[in-house]
Amino acid sequence: MVEAVKRALGKISVEHIKLELLGTAYNSSSTFLGRLDPRMLLIWYLFFAITPWFVYNRTILLGMFVFMVVTTVLSKVSPYIVFILCLGLVSQIGWMFLLSLFFGGGAESLLPMLTLTLKLSVISLASITVFSSLDPERLSDGLSALGIPDAFAFSLSYGYRILPTLLEEFHQILLSFRLRGQRPAKHGFLYLRTAAYYLRILVLVFYPLMLNTAKRSRTTVEALETRGYTCAVNNPKVKKLRLSYLAMQRRDWLFVAFSAVYISLLFPLGAAFPNLLY
């Protein structure tokens, strides 16, 4: 088991994470959900992002969670993103449970936390499913078609698109600091010296990264204005031509129908078996 963990950790690198992000951002059209209409996907996401907050039946929440797990698998989400999600949920519930024990609570406090965990899991998996299934261009077009201001839609798309580039630049700056710096001769107790060394480098990397990002953003804005971006955004004919490829097809209606039928069956099931999890 220990050897397997070591092999898994040995495969983790900035380059590998960058490739995973590139695959997530630009290879979404190869999945089933990636071929669906972005407008429908965004509306579908809004339902699963809002509805769980008003549902307290654990059976219904569990059914939504199972559905979200299936859609996440269909979206071929990067294992790193799923790992970060699981780590965040476990750590959040862990410190809340410890806090409840500190104030005199017991094992019975886990049930309300289970409800909160299911809600957060459904919302998080829905977010991962949708944003892993939409490349930056389709995400921007979907938001624009739903009436979101074009400037905001483009900004979100641009941030999504430039993330792998920023990660690569972060890696290059980090390597330059390591090349010019000197690691501690000894790791120290519990690797504290080495950890402090890398934490210091991460802080130093932040400043040139932000400066380079600001310069890159300014260059992008100037290039867009040179090509008439503001005029194109304010022209209804250009917007109509840009969004003309969006259309609801048979697979979109089938996916919506299946989702609606599945959710409609969950509520009577939850009313019949409200205590399915305990």
Side-chain angles (χ1 to χ4, degrees), residues 96-166:
M96 291 177 63
F97 179 64
L98 292 177
L99 193 62
S100 67
L101 292 178
F102 179 77
F103 286 101
E108 64 276 2
S109 61
L110 283 175
L111 287 178
M113 294 181 188
L114 178 61
T115 304
L116 177 61
T117 303
L118 285 174
K119 291 183 178 186
L120 294 177
S121 300
V122 170
I123 297 170
S124 301
L125 289 176
S127 304
I128 292 174
T129 296
V130 171
F131 289 101
S132 296
S133 302
L134 293 176
D135 56 41
E137 182 179 355
R138 286 168 55 82
L139 174 61
S140 176
D141 291 345
L143 291 173
S144 181
L146 292 176
I148 303 298
D150 290 315
F152 175 80
F154 173 78
S155 300
L156 184 61
S157 173
Y158 177 73
Y160 187 26
R161 187 185 296 272
I162 203 176
L163 183 60
T165 305
L166 291 180

Side-chain angles (χ1 to χ4, degrees), residues 11-21 80 164 166-172 174-175 178:
K11 296 179 180 178
I12 298 177
S13 63
V14 176
E15 188 68 23
H16 194 186
I17 295 176
K18 183 187 71 176
L19 293 176
E20 289 287 340
L21 288 176
Y80 292 115
L166 291 180
L167 186 59
E168 182 178 4
E169 192 162 350
F170 165 80
H171 189 202
Q172 297 299 326
L174 179 64
L175 291 178
R178 290 183 60 187

Side-chain angles (χ1 to χ4, degrees), residues 77-97:
V77 178
S78 170
Y80 292 115
I81 299 178
V82 177
F83 173 75
I84 294 173
L85 169 63
C86 295
L87 183 63
L89 290 174
V90 171
S91 60
Q92 179 179 5
I93 298 303
W95 75 261
M96 291 177 63
F97 179 64

